[in-house]
Amino acid sequence: MAEKQFDIIIYGATSFVGQIVTQYMHDRYGDGAVGWAIAGRSQSKLEDVARSVGLPDVEMIVADAADEVALQQICARTKVVISTVGPYALYGDILLKVCAENGTHYCDLTGEPHWIRRMQAAHEETAKDSGARIVHCCGFDSIPSDLGVHVLQDHAVKALGEPCERIDMRVMRIKGGASGGTIASMVELVKEASGNAQLRRELKNPYSLCPPDHDFTVRQRNVGAEEDKRLGKWITPFIMEAINTKVVHRSNALSGNSYGTHFRYEEAMVTGRGTGGKRRAKLTALGLGAFTAGVAIPPIRWLLGKFLPKPGEGPSPTEQREGMFDMLFLGSTASGKQARVRVTGDRDPGYGSTAKMLSEAAACLAKDIGDDVPGGFWTPATLMGDTLVARLEANAGLTFEIVPEA
Ligand SMILES: NC(=O)c1ccc[n+]([C@@H]2O[C@H](COP(=O)([O-])OP(=O)(O)OC[C@H]3O[C@@H](n4cnc5c(N)ncnc54)[C@H](OP(=O)(O)O)[C@@H]3O)[C@@H](O)[C@H]2O)c1
């Protein structure tokens, strides 16, 4: 790759999460170890962000998401583009296309599987030819899930002599809020799916992000409000499961089915023991179903929009600091051996922690991945694996821990 002016350009630095990414990059890499700049559609908003992080002289680049020439110029100046301009299905196409064409590496926070699939179909061959490494889902969805499974499978192979045939991820504790941008992305997805039966089928397919020639036929389970006997606690559907499971299955496919062709993976949220846990599990499952159904109906969608955060809004700095997550991965091998891994994060998952994960993924792409690694649409686990785990533990407040079996 020709010498570039920057390691990383943060496109969408004015977004709610982009501002936290910018602050993190300044705090962590202000010493120049990673060269970075910010970009967005508005010069004055970029200047506000630069001032608020205490770096008024940071390089700023103005580019609208529809301006292909301006986006080409971003690609010409950097090794890696971080994009937080979403909903990606509305604004992400052209940036992804020019990154794939120019051999510029790219990472983002999308949780929109239909858009990822569309981009894979359109640009995978171009990215392979140009050497651009594209890595979606570099935030709370889906780094902890993808790397948690990666760490557990690595441990299982080394300690038990075989990979886990089944892994269940349980969100044991979680504290944080949603931003307007995330809600806008969810609403956009439900809106599009409500009038499109083909898309609804695709969203239900756990293997929809796997390469078309994948070997997986195992039926994956849908979690309901139910008791997990191993934990003695009630569980309920986890909202991020829809994207996380697809990313984990793609990692399996891209790694030559290293988790096995009969690999089963599910995610759920723990709601507690006894009647209280049961009530919360049922109410959460009901609430999730009602939210999805409601968003599909225009007048209810309009009404919900009055109460939910708007684009640009999200959890306060205190809520981000006081947030956390704690996830347990329970694995069992084909011969019945058990292993567990615990993954934790020290900020609210969606923003404080996500911003650190995305920044470290970008730094890993810019600094750690050798030139011999081919271009294409990767996953966090298959491209960055242990190297990213080490970065996240060292810099980003995440822990990955093998839990001894009782
Ligand atoms: N995976 C995860 O864990 C995770 C976590 C958090 C967020 N997300 C996703 O990340 C994305 C950003 O979330 P957010 O809450 O930070 O969103 P947000 O605050 O609403 O920001 C949206 C950004 O898009 C920019 N934008 C909109 N139209 C544009 C255009 N035509 N050209 C260039 N830029 C344009 C906005 O620029 P202006 O500032 O100039 O309006 C803003 O910077 C969303 O898609 C969200 O779903 C994912």
Side-chain angles (χ1 to χ4, degrees):
M1 187 186 282
E3 203 50 45
K4 299 283 184 99
Q5 184 182 1
F6 300 109
D7 292 308
I8 297 170
I9 289 180
I10 307 161
Y11 184 56
T14 59
S15 70
F16 187 80
V17 69
Q19 294 180 49
I20 310 172
V21 170
T22 305
Q23 185 71 62
Y24 178 79
M25 290 301 290
H26 179 37
D27 295 345
R28 172 90 199 114
Y29 295 112
D31 60 359
V34 174
W36 58 279
I38 60 176
R41 64 175 160 175
S42 152
Q43 176 74 29
S44 65
K45 283 189 185 175
L46 287 169
E47 284 169 7
D48 289 345
V49 172
R51 261 194 305 275
S52 76
V53 301
L55 206 62
D57 295 332
V58 69
E59 183 94 12
M60 294 169 228
I61 302 153
V62 176
D64 192 276
D67 184 344
E68 186 163 341
V69 174
L71 296 175
Q72 298 262 18
Q73 284 161 4
I74 288 183
C75 287
R77 294 176 72 181
T78 187
K79 286 186 194 163
V80 177
V81 176
I82 288 177
S83 176
T84 66
V85 173
Y88 294 85
L90 291 184
Y91 305 122
D93 287 20
I94 298 175
L95 175 61
L96 201 108
K97 170 179 170 282
V98 297
C99 283
E101 287 172 352
N102 287 277
T104 306
H105 311 315
Y106 167 99
C107 56
D108 70 18
L109 291 179
T110 183
E112 299 153 67
H114 62 313
W115 180 71
I116 298 176
R117 218 174 93 81
R118 195 150 51 76
M119 293 299 101
Q120 281 172 1
H123 306 301
E124 174 112 56
E125 289 314 311
T126 312
K128 282 181 175 163
D129 288 347
S130 72
R133 301 171 198 131
I134 312 289
V135 198
H136 297 294
C137 306
C138 289
F140 182 59
D141 41 307
S142 302
I143 280 187
S145 298
D146 199 27
L147 291 183
V149 170
H150 165 81
V151 169
L152 178 48
Q153 291 293 29
D154 190 51
H155 167 69
V157 170
K158 286 179 184 148
L160 310 177
E162 54 185 337
C164 295
E165 192 173 55
R166 173 175 174 172
I167 295 179
D168 298 339
M169 188 282 274
R170 301 295 181 238
V171 181
M172 305 302 286
R173 286 180 62 214
I174 189 162
K175 199 169 165 206
S179 78
T182 295
I183 288 167
S185 299
M186 286 161 72
V187 166
E188 205 44 49
L189 179 56
V190 175
K191 223 164 80 180
E192 209 176 319
S194 65
N196 184 337
Q198 153 82 20
L199 175 56
R200 287 199 297 279
R201 270 197 302 281
E202 189 182 314
L203 293 174
K204 282 190 189 144
N205 175 3
Y207 306 123
S208 71
L209 296 184
C210 292
D213 59 353
H214 72 80
D215 297 322
F216 308 136
T217 51
V218 171
R219 207 182 163 81
Q220 303 286 332
R221 205 175 78 90
N222 289 323
V223 175
E226 57 192 81
E227 195 173 14
D228 187 327
K229 298 265 191 286
R230 293 161 302 180
L231 301 173
K233 292 180 178 171
W234 281 78
I235 57 171
T236 197
F238 176 49
I239 192 161
M240 299 305 180
E241 167 275 341
I243 180 69
N244 292 341
T245 52
K246 293 175 176 61
V247 173
V248 167
H249 289 300
R250 180 168 176 86
S251 288
N252 187 18
L254 294 186
S255 63
N257 302 343
S258 64
Y259 309 162
T261 45
H262 291 90
F263 177 63
R264 280 180 295 155
Y265 180 67
E266 66 175 48
E267 298 193 339
M269 209 162 72
V270 170
T271 56
R273 293 181 195 278
T275 48
K278 181 176 180 179
R279 195 182 57 249
R280 283 188 292 276
K282 292 200 177 244
L283 280 174
T284 308
L286 215 68
L288 200 61
F291 175 77
T292 313
V295 168
I297 302 166
I300 299 182
R301 185 160 67 231
W302 176 82
L303 201 64
L304 282 170
K306 298 256 159 228
F307 300 101
L308 294 169
K310 312 270 175 300
E313 298 174 0
S316 69
T318 308
E319 286 169 324
Q320 289 169 35
R321 249 190 332 273
E322 292 178 351
M324 51 78 65
F325 60 88
D326 180 350
M327 296 156 59
L328 183 65
F329 295 75
L330 302 108
S332 48
T333 70
S335 64
K337 294 174 199 152
Q338 313 283 318
R340 294 183 181 196
V341 157
R342 184 173 174 218
V343 179
T344 65
D346 70 346
R347 292 276 191 281
D348 82 296
Y351 304 93
S353 189
T354 279
K356 296 197 278 184
M357 289 186 240
L358 179 61
S359 305
E360 289 300 333
C364 187
L365 263 173
K367 294 291 189 187
D368 305 338
I369 309 295
D371 289 341
D372 53 327
V373 177
F377 282 64
W378 292 85
T379 58
T382 50
L383 183 64
M384 298 181 271
D386 294 340
T387 315
L388 184 55
V389 169
R391 272 187 174 273
L392 295 173
E393 290 196 313
N395 304 329
L398 267 77
T399 66
F400 294 81
E401 176 200 352
I402 312 289
V403 181
E405 280 299 306

